[in-house]
């Protein structure tokens, strides 16, 4: 196999992968649009949208809490346990 033939094979592979990815994206978008169209035809679409908004806000709050809260310092936790133990022993 020559270098040019190998290069052509890699180019063809890249094109096939890109075409497959594009087809998957179009198929997924078509399915998503069909689902949205079906949801818009429902009589309780307003209620459904409000529930979805509430669920998304709750999910966002959980995600922010997970990534923005800083756990207490290890030594601070140990000091609190020691203080609680001393207080319990004094009683």
């Amino acid at each position: 196999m020559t270098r040019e033939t190998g290069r052509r094979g890699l180019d063809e592979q890249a094109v096939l992968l890109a075409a497959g990815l594009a087809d998957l994206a179009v198929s997924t978008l078509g399915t998503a649009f069909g689902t949205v169209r079906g949801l818009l035809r429902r009589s309780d679409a307003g209620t459904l949208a409000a529930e979805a908004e509430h669920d998304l806000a709750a999910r966002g709050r959980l995600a922010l809490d997970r990534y923005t809260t800083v756990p207490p310092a290890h030594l601070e936790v140990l000091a609190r346990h020691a203080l609680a133990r001393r207080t319990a022993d004094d009683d």
Side-chain angles (χ1 to χ4, degrees):
M1 180 193 299
T2 65
R3 182 178 261 173
E4 186 176 315
T5 305
R7 177 70 179 159
R8 208 176 311 142
L10 290 176
D11 289 343
E12 184 179 339
Q13 183 72 15
V15 169
L16 289 174
L17 288 173
L21 186 61
D23 183 56
L24 178 64
V26 168
S27 173
T28 302
L29 285 175
T31 302
F33 283 135
T35 302
V36 169
R37 191 177 313 122
L39 289 174
L40 291 176
R41 290 182 185 149
R42 292 178 57 139
S43 62
D44 62 343
T47 304
L48 191 62
E51 288 176 3
E53 181 182 356
H54 177 71
D55 289 347
L56 281 175
R59 187 180 187 102
R61 190 176 308 111
L62 288 173
L64 286 177
D65 288 347
R66 184 180 325 126
Y67 295 113
T68 59
T69 58
V70 178
H74 180 68
L75 290 177
E76 179 68 26
V77 172
L78 290 176
R80 288 181 185 171
H81 283 290
L83 181 61
R85 184 173 286 166
R86 275 193 220 138
T87 305
D89 288 343
D90 289 342
D91 289 336

